[in-house]
Structure formats: C-alpha cells, structure tokens
C-alpha cells in the first residue's frame, strides 16, 4: 500500500502533464481558428447552441470522464450514453456544432484532433462568445472506448436529489461546495422544459398552489407559458429570466428574489452551505467569473484519457473499431 499511493499520484501527474494548451500547435495549427469559426457561425444562426454545448460538456465529463463518450450513437448492439433515460433532451444543435467542427478539422488535419478536445475547446469559446470568462483549455484528450446508457445513472445530478446527495456527487467528481456553486452559474443561460419545474407551479402542496419561495409574478408567467405542458412537451422557459442569453452573474442575483427556475436553483440559496457563495457571486461578477473559470478548467480534466487509454475517432458518433 505504501508504495502504491505515490505510484498512483505519479500516474495522475503524468496524465495531466500530457495535456497542454498548445498540443496541436505543430500537428493542426488551424485548430483554434477552425473551432472558433465553426462555433461563431452556429451560435449566430442558432443562439441556443452555447447553452446546449455547455450542458453536453458536463454530461460527458461526469460519465466516463471528458472523453466524448456522450457523442457515440446507439446501434443494435449497444445502447449508448446519450440514450440514457435521463439524457433530458440534450440539444440536437449541440451535437451538430461538434459534428461540423470535426468535419472541418478532418479536412484540414485528418485523424489528429480528438472529439473530446473539440467539445472542451468549443465549450470555452461559446461561453466566452456569450459574455462569459475566457479560461485556459488544456488539450491532448483521447476519445473514450466505452459509451453505455447504463453508466449514466448515479453519475449525473437530478432534480430529485437532496443537497446532501448533490454535494456528495460533486465531491466524488473532485469539486468543493464552492466550485459546485460556481458551476451552477451555467444556469445563467439556456432553457428548461416545463416538465422540469411544473411541480413548483401547479399543485405544489395542499395549502399552496405554487412553491412559496417563488415570486408570484414569475409564477403567473410560467403558469401561462406551461398551461399546455401535458400535451405540448416542447414548451420551455429561460433559466435566467432577466438576461437569458448573456453569461453573467444574474443567475445568482435572481435566486434571493424568488426568480430561480428549477428546484435545485432554489435550494442553492436556501441551504446554508451554498448560500454564502450565492450571495458573494450575486454581489461580485468578477469573483464569479474567476471561480467559474477555475471550476471549468478542473471540469475539463475529469478522468481524461491519454495515450493508449483511448483513440482519436474519425467521426464523433462512432468508435473507430466496430468491435467496441
Ligand atoms: C444539481 C445540479 C444540476 C441539475 C439537477 C441540473 C438540471 C438541469 C435541468 C433539469 C435542465 C433543463 C433541461 C431541459 O429541460 O432541457 C438543465 C439545463 C441546463 N443545465 Fe443544468 N443542472 C445541474 C447543474 C448544471 C451544471 C453544473 C451545469 C454546467 C456547468 C449545467 C448546465 C446547464 C445548462 C447550460 C442548461 C441549459 C441547456 C439548454 O438550454 O439546452 N447544469 N439543468
Ligand atoms: C436522448 O437523446 C437522443 C439524441 O438527442 C434522442 O434521440 C433520444 O430519444 C433521447 N432519449 C431519451 C430516453 O430521451
Ligand atoms: C391539480 O390537482 C387537481 C385536483 O387533484 C386536478 O384536478 C388538476 O388537474 C391538477 N392540475 C395540474 C396542472 O396538475
Ligand atoms: C394552449 O392551447 C390553447 C388551445 O389550443 C391555445 O389557444 C393556447 O395559445 C396555448 N397556450 C400556449 C402558451 O401555447
């Protein structure tokens, strides 16, 4: 045991050391430019892309690590990660922009750039494009060789978890409570479908039709938006009702005013362990951006594969070898 721990630490350090921001400098000099152009075109025509990719990224990283396992399509032999019950309608446009970047990169430098690196870099560029901070993305990930729907449960947070369960899950992935609260700032962009929050606005309890923590005007607006949710499952609300498309600290400013959309958003300001960080980030956007950048750099390294632990896929939705 005594010699095993230093050995494992050495392995972890070695894997980290292989990731560098200029990994493709010699082998694919246009890497940065191609990703930036692809995401810019897509985001301008489809403004929901940034949030979709950010969510796709954390869903990928929390299941098997940041290895593009989420991009694999199911086939008759394998139900892949993206078809797990709780993939919760990941945006098709998020998959699409990664596919476009991959096609462009294969033309410029075939078989060089991993899909996992494309997702990490595209996420950073999109966050920055919609107003968020710029942070360093280290590169050199390999794409994973496993993608199974059965590996999703227990690795992704859900709306039925208690704060204890959520904090335990994030701790298991390497995040402190503060880093968890900073990552939740991602809900400053994007949408949630009505079914994710109707339990807060319709028939909440015997005594109150809606969650009393919510602003009544907000509840009225959401109730109207979701009036047909049982028959129309496409309806969705902005996660940040004030500045929905802008990556800023408005998410945290909304929470104490009863303008959090999901139950987990409300829990963040209700729980004494997370509340201090909500207040801090609500008052100080720079503190939020610094914390978010740090947490995203960390998220980008979760269980990353290098060397022969993975491969560079030739297309992002399929393993190179049929036998996987
Ligand atoms: C306890 C933790 C979390 C829970 C339970 C949760 C749950 C959800 C749910 C239910 C939605 C709505 C999905 C839909 O209806 O399509 C959503 C949206 C979203 N989540 Fe989270 N989330 C959590 C943490 C995070 C974190 C840490 C990030 C990123 C770092 C994130 C990024 C997003 C984004 C960007 C969206 C909008 C997606 C879009 O517009 O396509 N979430 N989340
Ligand atoms: C998961 O997402 C994929 C691709 O977006 C979709 O085709 C599939 O139906 C979803 N699965 C479930 C169970 O929602
Ligand atoms: C709320 O509960 C009442 C009585 O059980 C029911 O008639 C009604 O359809 C419910 N409304 C919604 C939106 O679920
Ligand atoms: C709900 O359905 C009714 C009847 O079809 C329609 O008039 C109304 O506009 C719908 N509401 C929303 C928010 O889509």
């Amino acid at each position: 045991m005594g010699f095993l721990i230093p050995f494992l630490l050495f392995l972890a350090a070695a894997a980290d050391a292989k990731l560098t921001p200029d990994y493709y400098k010699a082998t694919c000099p246009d890497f940065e430019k191609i990703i930036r152009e692809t995401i810019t075109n897509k985001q301008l025509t489809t403004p929901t892309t940034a949030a979709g990719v950010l969510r796709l990224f954390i869903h990928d990283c929390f299941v098997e690590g940041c290895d593009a396992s989420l991009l694999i399509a199911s086939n008759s032999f394998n139900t892949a990660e993206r078809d797990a019950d709780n993939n919760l309608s990941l945006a098709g446009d998020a998959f699409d922009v990664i596919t476009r970047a991959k096609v462009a990169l294969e033309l410029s430098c075939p078989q060089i750039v991993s899909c996992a690196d494309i997702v990490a870099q595209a996420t950073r560029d999109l966050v920055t494009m919609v107003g968020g901070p710029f942070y360093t993305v280290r590169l050199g990930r390999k794409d994973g060789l496993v993608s199974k729907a059965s590996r999703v449960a227990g690795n992704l947070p859900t709306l039925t978890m208690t704060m204890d369960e959520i904090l335990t899950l994030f701790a298991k992935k390497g995040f402190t409570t503060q880093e968890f609260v900073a990552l939740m700032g991602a809900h400053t962009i994007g949408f949630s479908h009505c079914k994710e929050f109707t339990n807060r606005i319709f028939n909440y309890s015997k005594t109150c039709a809606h969650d009393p923590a919510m602003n009544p005007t907000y509840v009225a607006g959401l109730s109207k938006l979701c009036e047909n949710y049982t028959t129309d499952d496409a309806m969705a609300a902005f996660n940040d009702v004030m500045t929905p498309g802008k990556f800023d600290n408005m998410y945290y400013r909304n929470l104490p005013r009863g303008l959090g959309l999901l139950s987990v958003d409300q829990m963040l300001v209700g729980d004494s362990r997370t509340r201090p960080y909500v207040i801090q980030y609500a008052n100080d956007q720079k503190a939020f951006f610094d914390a978010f950048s740090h947490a995203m750099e960390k998220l980008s390294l979760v269980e990353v594969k290098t060397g022969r632990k993975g491969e560079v896929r030739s297309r992002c939705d399929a393993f190179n070898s049929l036998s996987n």
Side-chain angles (χ1 to χ4, degrees), residues 62 154 161-177 180 273:
F62 267 38
M161 286 181 176
T162 63
M163 188 55 89
D164 279 347
E165 290 169 334
I166 291 171
L167 292 177
T168 302
L169 173 60
F170 276 80
K172 218 173 77 188
K173 302 293 176 188
F175 297 96
T176 64
T177 300
F180 158 66
R273 290 165 291 185

Side-chain angles (χ1 to χ4, degrees), residues 200-201 210-220 222 239 241-242 251-262 265-266 269 275:
R200 300 188 71 206
I201 57 175
H210 63 83
D211 184 342
M214 291 176 95
N215 175 303
T217 312
Y218 188 41
V219 171
L222 292 174
N239 287 328
V241 66
M242 304 303 276
Y251 169 74
Y252 302 101
R253 293 166 63 188
N254 287 338
L255 298 182
R257 304 179 198 155
L259 298 177
L261 182 62
L262 302 173
D265 302 326
Q266 189 59 48
V269 67
R275 184 181 167 84

Side-chain angles (χ1 to χ4, degrees), residues 303-314:
E303 292 167 47
V304 157
K305 297 167 183 69
T306 57
R308 284 190 290 173
K309 293 275 164 55
E311 62 184 5
V312 172
R313 279 181 215 146
S314 37

